[in-house]
Amino acid sequence: MRIFTKLTALVLALVTAASFMVACKDDTADQNGGQEPEETAYDLTDFTIVRAEVGSIGFSSAVSDVKDAIKSKLGLELPIVVDSNKEAGSKEILIGETDRTESKATVSQIKKKNEKNSWAIRIASDKIVITGTDDASSVKAAEAFIKYYVNASSEGKLGLSAGKEMYRIYDTDSIITTKNGTEIQVETESILYSQKRYNVNGEEFVPSGGSYPGITKLQYQSDPAKNGRLVAISAASPMFGDSSTMACVIVSDDDGASWKIVARPNQKTFPGIPSGSMANIYELPAKLGDLPAGTLIYSHNIVDWDIKKYSVIATWISVDAGETWQESAMIDEAGALGEGVWEPFMIYSEEDGYLYCFYSDDSDPKHDQKIVYKRSKDGVNWEGKNGEIGTLTGKNVEPVDVIATANKEHRPGMPVITKMGNGEYFMSYEYIDENGDCVIRYRTTKNLADWGDPDNMGTLIGMWSAPSCAWLDAGGENGLLLVAAKGGSNNGYMMASFDYGKTWEKIDDPHTSKPIKNEGDRVGYSGFMFVANDKKTLYYVNSVNDPSAPKERQLIAFAKMYVYE
């Protein structure tokens, strides 16, 4: 496992035409009596392209690409010269770390931020600087110049839709690059659980383990100051007070740089029985019955592990951004191992106004296990098969089958759902066959209430277990669909698709960990991903091993990832 440190990408200027750049004031304004230079200053007719003397083949090719692009878009045949062969002229496009004062000043500026992977474009009335901290970064700058400036040109003048100054400065070299060139930057990594003592409700404890983490970023709170808070959950031990609680609520108010445990929700319905495992955290995006938008719902398992009598899917709710919790409803109840109900996942449907709870169901004797759902209009009374509604809870009604295959020995389970840009819902789940082989499959639908034939096993993704999925509106015309799973985490990769799941490629997983040692080890098991409002930022939690501990222990790890266009 890598050492976790805070890694922050600084985007100092952004483009109106691209999500990672923005126009900012050019410092040439002060040289012109505080006035921006006239638009005519960007007529490139008399400019010369000046390149650094030393450069790779890729760098030389990028210089030629700039020349060719200007010729194609502006009809100008600009000469290329090496900096050491020509005195500084009045109008120059400087590419790479040339010997010109403007190039050196820009490189020095970006190197103060980071020595690697960083680049800048600066446009003044007579100098255009296109450079990076190394050859590869200068190539990136040249590509950006062509894409956002030259391609926006019109009427023989350089287009300025990108602004006159742009930077791409990384404070980390932790960048995942896909086959189509999409960059996924791991901006922040941290450990939620450590040797630190936490004080909750006046009692101190040190979490010694964690599993089944979840995360959300608040965006529907009545108190605007709470929007942006990250709320994560996990099962943790040791317990304190009433030993029935395994639940932990961990929050960050600085976008994942630091964390604190604020609550240990405790269930009273089944005294002394462990609760809070296999949990899911969800923020209501709209009013649901008496529950206001912004209500947090913590769905979880209550399991009688000792006498192996029953399992329950239940909920807690919080209306104060995760600080305090109260028991809410029981969605289903069944037996224990081999005949129980497990692994809830909540999602709200804008189409019909229902809150759906998808989960794994062991209790049907016709199936080893199946994926089912119940839904609710108020978060308390849960509707099942044939529209029947349970009294106060949903445990009195049968759930709706989603995946329940004819082969009795097959075990689909652990459903997680994300909505994609084509309007379809994508559900990833693990699928165990009669030989005990476990794979990840998926199904899609445009209607959460109708997934088609329950006997459809779905489409194969790979040989793993315990998946999570997320769709981001970046990386290509169809966005980026990610699936992380246990095999992926242990072996250091995730799966990525740019065509809504038709094809897949392996990419690095920021949460690497040693392989599991025994059945009780939940390392890399049931991670969770949440996509922010911008549809380009991903928050990802999973369990990892701590190799620095005297006796290796399990922790919860966090990563903030950003997908560039």
Side-chain angles (χ1 to χ4, degrees):
M1 185 185 76
R2 73 179 74 207
I3 298 173
F4 289 83
T5 57
K6 181 184 178 187
L7 307 170
T8 307
L10 301 179
V11 181
L12 300 184
L14 286 156
V15 168
T16 56
S19 64
F20 62 95
M21 298 171 198
V22 117
C24 68
K25 182 180 179 182
D26 190 287
D27 56 13
T28 56
D30 292 336
Q31 302 170 14
N32 292 275
Q35 301 296 317
E36 290 290 333
E38 293 295 326
E39 194 81 0
T40 55
Y42 298 95
D43 183 339
L44 300 183
T45 301
D46 297 323
F47 275 71
T48 297
I49 297 174
V50 180
R51 55 156 291 173
E53 181 175 13
V54 178
S56 64
I57 294 175
F59 172 76
S60 298
S61 178
V63 174
S64 297
D65 288 344
V66 170
K67 173 186 171 68
D68 293 343
I70 291 172
K71 180 179 180 180
S72 174
K73 290 292 291 186
L74 299 178
L76 298 175
E77 185 80 45
L78 301 187
I80 298 177
V81 300
V82 176
D83 58 352
S84 61
N85 295 339
K86 189 176 187 296
E87 294 295 324
S90 60
K91 295 184 177 181
E92 296 178 330
I93 300 175
L94 309 175
I95 305 179
E97 192 170 355
T98 73
D99 63 2
R100 304 295 197 258
T101 300
E102 294 84 357
S103 292
K104 292 179 179 180
T106 301
V107 171
S108 176
Q109 183 178 10
I110 58 179
K111 279 188 174 182
K112 287 179 181 178
K113 297 294 183 182
N114 188 49
E115 290 287 336
K116 299 179 181 179
N117 306 317
S118 303
W119 56 260
I121 297 171
R122 303 187 70 187
I123 301 176
S125 57
D126 60 355
K127 291 289 189 293
I128 297 175
V129 179
I130 305 169
T131 190
T133 50
D134 52 26
D135 263 13
S137 300
S138 292
V139 170
K140 290 284 188 183
E143 291 172 347
F145 179 74
I146 293 170
K147 182 175 182 179
Y148 297 111
Y149 288 99
V150 179
N151 287 349
S153 299
S154 62
E155 299 180 358
K157 297 182 178 65
L158 187 68
L160 296 179
S161 63
K164 302 183 187 71
E165 184 170 334
M166 338 188 303
Y167 293 84
R168 181 84 162 269
I169 298 180
Y170 296 108
D171 277 352
T172 173
D173 57 1
S174 183
I175 302 168
I176 301 165
T177 304
T178 66
K179 291 178 181 178
N180 72 352
T182 296
E183 291 182 334
I184 306 171
Q185 185 178 358
V186 184
E187 293 190 358
T188 307
E189 291 178 301
S190 59
I191 290 290
L192 278 64
Y193 288 154
S194 68
Q195 297 290 348
K196 177 182 175 181
R197 286 186 170 274
Y198 291 89
N199 189 308
V200 182
N201 300 332
E203 299 187 57
E204 289 189 345
F205 76 108
V206 178
S208 63
S211 60
Y212 288 97
I215 192 168
T216 190
K217 185 170 187 175
L218 303 186
Q219 53 187 309
Y220 304 108
Q221 298 299 298
S222 58
D223 178 2
K226 294 297 184 183
N227 284 324
R229 165 178 275 195
L230 293 176
V231 180
I233 60 168
S234 172
S237 57
M239 284 69 76
F240 62 90
D242 187 335
S243 62
S244 70
T245 187
M246 297 171 65
C248 260
V249 178
I250 315 107
V251 302
S252 173
D253 292 313
D254 53 15
D255 218 30
S258 62
W259 296 86
K260 62 179 178 179
I261 295 177
V262 296
R264 295 293 302 271
N266 212 341
Q267 62 91 10
K268 305 294 184 183
T269 305
F270 299 88
I273 304 301
S275 67
S277 67
M278 307 185 198
N280 176 246
I281 183 76
Y282 188 73
E283 183 188 20
L284 281 179
K287 187 176 185 294
L288 191 77
D290 292 333
L291 301 178
T295 299
L296 284 170
I297 300 180
Y298 191 149
S299 54
H300 63 106
N301 272 101
I302 301 171
V303 186
D304 182 359
W305 297 110
D306 293 331
I307 60 177
K308 297 178 174 54
K309 188 175 181 181
Y310 57 79
S311 60
V312 176
I313 291 180
T315 61
W316 289 302
I317 62 171
S318 172
V319 293
D320 59 4
E323 299 286 339
T324 60
W325 296 82
Q326 66 184 57
E327 290 182 84
S328 178
M330 284 193 294
I331 297 173
D332 207 344
E333 181 180 347
L337 291 176
E339 51 185 27
V341 286
W342 322 101
E343 302 146 352
F345 176 85
M346 294 280 186
I347 184 170
Y348 177 79
S349 169
E350 295 179 354
E351 291 83 1
D352 59 24
Y354 278 97
L355 176 66
Y356 285 75
C357 181
F358 291 81
Y359 56 100
S360 307
D361 184 2
D362 261 344
S363 66
D364 186 347
K366 296 178 182 178
H367 302 276
D368 193 342
Q369 184 169 278
K370 60 185 181 178
I371 295 174
V372 300
Y373 77 75
K374 290 183 181 178
R375 62 183 187 172
S376 176
K377 282 281 192 178
D378 59 10
V380 177
N381 300 290
W382 290 83
E383 174 186 313
K385 192 174 181 180
N386 300 320
E388 296 182 21
I389 300 177
T391 305
L392 296 181
T393 73
K395 69 176 184 177
N396 301 337
V397 299
E398 290 186 45
V400 178
D401 289 349
V402 177
I403 302 177
T405 57
N407 191 320
K408 184 179 178 180
E409 297 182 49
H410 287 197
R411 289 180 61 84
M414 306 188 80
V416 176
I417 300 169
T418 186
K419 191 172 186 180
M420 301 187 293
N422 61 358
E424 291 185 336
Y425 293 95
F426 175 97
M427 177 171 64
S428 62
Y429 51 94
E430 75 173 27
Y431 196 96
I432 303 174
D433 65 19
E434 63 272 19
N435 299 316
D437 293 329
C438 188
V439 297
I440 302 302
R441 294 182 176 274
Y442 76 87
R443 294 273 301 273
T444 62
T445 185
K446 288 193 174 182
N447 180 1
L448 282 174
D450 184 6
W451 292 81
D453 183 3
D455 193 34
N456 182 350
M457 293 189 298
T459 304
L460 177 69
I461 298 177
M463 294 291 294
W464 310 321
S465 63
S468 180
C469 60
W471 182 86
L472 300 100
D473 190 13
E477 181 181 353
N478 299 319
L480 170 61
L481 180 62
L482 291 176
V483 173
K486 188 172 184 178
S489 295
N490 286 343
N491 296 322
Y493 61 86
M494 304 165 75
M495 294 298 283
S497 173
F498 294 95
D499 52 14
Y500 299 123
K502 294 183 179 66
T503 60
W504 298 88
E505 68 171 282
K506 293 179 182 178
I507 63 172
D508 290 338
D509 186 329
H511 297 322
T512 58
S513 193
K514 295 181 180 179
I516 61 171
K517 296 180 178 180
N518 54 67
E519 283 298 317
D521 193 343
R522 288 292 183 262
V523 169
Y525 202 77
S526 195
F528 194 80
M529 297 185 286
F530 180 81
V531 180
N533 267 344
D534 63 4
K535 299 298 183 184
K536 295 173 176 59
T537 302
L538 181 75
Y539 299 96
Y540 172 34
V541 288
N542 211 337
S543 51
V544 298
N545 291 349
D546 180 7
S548 64
K551 185 176 182 180
E552 194 173 284
R553 56 196 282 263
Q554 191 167 306
L555 303 173
I556 301 301
F558 162 84
K560 176 185 175 184
M561 304 163 72
Y562 186 85
V563 182
Y564 290 99
E565 295 290 349

